[in-house]
């Protein structure tokens, strides 16, 4: 479900259990009470504010939980007003997790970043041009230390957008357009 600093988070669906595993030492740890049903979103990373490894999980009903390796316990934050469209999150170099999601009230696309230290969700605006044209946001990643989204432009081409200045909507820049027939003929 993700990795950070050599630690790997594994979810064994047939066991309904989450584990942290260190491949270098071959040590592993089953997370307590880790039965999370209908998982929609999981992110694993290091929280620089609390100096602790954390696992963030959201079930499909919107219940948000945080596991702290330091305290070896889960904390339920509550329901969140977002629907998550992908199981994976991206952690950018400053340490915050980011998800592509939809607002529950109007199903509009949004980029969400939960802060596990103060339990506040912030929204980061996506690039305006793809939103205005109704294109589909497909993936979120990091490119050269910046947030990056891949946009499916009606199966005609794929656009790569990069946020040059974190948190500033106007800094989204279309880096490139991929039109290769073999790539675009695949199901997106």
């Amino acid at each position: 479900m993700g990795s950070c600093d050599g630690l790997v988070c594994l979810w064994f669906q047939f066991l309904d259990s989450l584990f942290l595993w260190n491949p270098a030492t071959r040590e592993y740890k089953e997370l307590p009470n880790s039965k999370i049903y209908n998982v929609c979103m999981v992110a694993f990373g290091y929280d620089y504010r609390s100096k602790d490894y954390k696992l963030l999980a959201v079930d499909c009903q919107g219940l948000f939980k945080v596991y702290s390796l330091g305290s070896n316990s889960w904390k339920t934050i509550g329901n969140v007003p977002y629907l998550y469209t992908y199981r994976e999150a991206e952690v950018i170099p400053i340490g915050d997790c980011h998800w592509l999601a939809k607002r529950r009230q109007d199903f509009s696309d949004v980029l969400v970043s939960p802060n596990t230290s103060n339990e506040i969700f912030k929204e980061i605006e996506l690039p305006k041009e793809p939103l205005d044209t109704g294109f589909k946001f497909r993936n979120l990643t990091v490119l050269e230390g910046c947030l990056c989204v891949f946009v499916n432009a009606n199966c005609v081409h794929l656009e790569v957008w990069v946020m040059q200045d974190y948190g500033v909507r106007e800094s989204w820049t279309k880096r490139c357009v991929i039109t290769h027939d073999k790539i675009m003929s695949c199901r997106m």
Side-chain angles (χ1 to χ4, degrees):
M1 300 305 291
S3 65
C4 180
D5 298 334
L7 293 176
V8 179
C9 178
L10 302 168
W11 177 41
F12 291 97
Q13 191 171 8
F14 64 93
L15 296 174
D16 273 327
S17 293
L18 290 161
F19 292 82
L20 292 182
W21 174 51
N22 185 332
T25 63
R26 297 184 182 194
E27 295 176 292
Y28 69 91
K29 173 184 185 56
E30 181 175 6
L31 303 188
N33 303 318
S34 64
K35 296 189 184 321
I36 299 174
Y37 303 102
N38 296 320
V39 174
C40 270
M41 181 60 60
V42 172
F44 175 64
Y46 187 74
D47 183 344
Y48 292 94
R49 293 171 193 92
S50 65
K51 298 182 179 2
D52 190 8
Y53 289 93
K54 293 189 177 177
L55 177 72
L56 314 175
V58 180
D59 70 17
C60 292
Q61 285 70 46
L63 188 62
F64 186 72
K65 295 181 177 186
V66 178
Y67 169 79
S68 162
L69 183 60
S71 68
N72 192 35
S73 64
W74 288 91
K75 180 178 183 179
T76 300
I77 305 294
N79 287 319
V80 294
Y82 305 103
L83 298 168
Y84 297 96
T85 54
Y86 298 97
R87 286 184 180 252
E88 299 162 357
E90 186 61 50
V91 181
I92 65 169
I94 62 171
D96 290 329
C97 292
H98 294 76
W99 284 297
L100 285 172
K102 293 192 178 289
R103 290 183 189 99
R104 285 188 187 271
Q105 79 264 17
D106 62 4
F107 299 105
S108 59
D109 291 312
V110 66
L111 188 55
V112 178
S113 178
N115 180 322
T116 58
S117 297
N118 60 17
E119 302 172 8
I120 294 174
F121 288 80
K122 72 177 173 185
E123 291 185 10
I124 298 169
E125 293 185 271
L126 288 163
K128 185 172 176 19
E129 183 182 319
L131 283 172
D132 289 346
T133 55
F135 293 163
K136 304 280 188 237
F137 291 91
R138 302 306 301 179
N139 296 82
L140 174 67
T141 190
V142 173
L143 181 64
E144 297 173 352
C146 299
L147 279 175
C148 173
V149 292
F150 291 86
V151 178
N152 178 356
N154 295 332
C155 294
V156 174
H157 64 265
L158 188 69
E159 298 176 352
V160 179
W161 287 80
V162 176
M163 182 179 255
Q164 300 293 327
D165 188 11
Y166 180 75
V168 178
R169 184 181 205 180
E170 294 76 24
S171 73
W172 282 107
T173 305
K174 189 187 317 182
R175 180 69 63 92
C176 66
V177 175
I178 301 169
T179 59
H180 194 278
D181 290 339
K182 287 188 178 185
I183 293 172
M184 294 314 300
S185 66
C186 296
R187 289 188 68 199
M188 298 197 71

